[in-house]
Amino acid sequence: MAENTCIACRYWTLREKNNKGEYVPHEMAALGYGYCAHDEKWRYFPGCRECANNKFEPIAEDLRIKREEWWEARNNKPREYVRRQHG
């Protein structure tokens, strides 16, 4: 992946704080979408998107590798949804 993608940025997150104060994955995290701390909270971006707002700040190398491994595993997992044939 490119150097300045969302998956390598510290402002891209897959979790949000619930009403108990715990950080839990949000509904779009399972699809590989997170939100940027420098953008609206309701706008989700995929991890492969390059930073468009010029506020990219890299995360630690070990965390980046862990995120990229998760991304690859998520992309290689078979999908639960199967398109039904008409007929």
Side-chain angles (χ1 to χ4, degrees):
M1 282 196 188
E3 294 285 325
N4 63 342
T5 56
C6 291
I7 204 164
C9 183
R10 73 180 296 254
Y11 297 116
W12 185 72
T13 184
L14 299 166
R15 299 172 187 256
E16 61 188 354
K17 195 182 281 191
N18 65 10
N19 58 358
K20 297 178 185 176
E22 304 165 332
Y23 284 95
V24 295
H26 54 72
E27 67 276 0
M28 295 293 286
L31 300 173
Y33 287 81
Y35 63 88
C36 180
H38 291 291
D39 211 329
E40 291 91 0
K41 193 171 180 179
W42 51 267
R43 291 189 67 194
Y44 295 98
F45 302 107
C48 59
R49 176 181 173 261
E50 289 192 26
C51 184
N53 58 11
N54 297 325
K55 304 228 184 227
F56 176 80
E57 189 172 319
I59 56 175
E61 187 69 19
D62 57 333
L63 291 175
R64 185 187 59 77
I65 291 170
K66 188 175 176 182
R67 278 186 180 181
E68 287 180 357
E69 287 172 352
W70 168 82
W71 183 266
E72 290 299 321
R74 189 193 66 77
N75 286 338
N76 293 331
K77 186 170 70 170
R79 303 285 185 238
E80 293 178 15
Y81 175 78
V82 176
R83 184 176 179 180
R84 296 177 189 243
Q85 297 292 325
H86 297 287

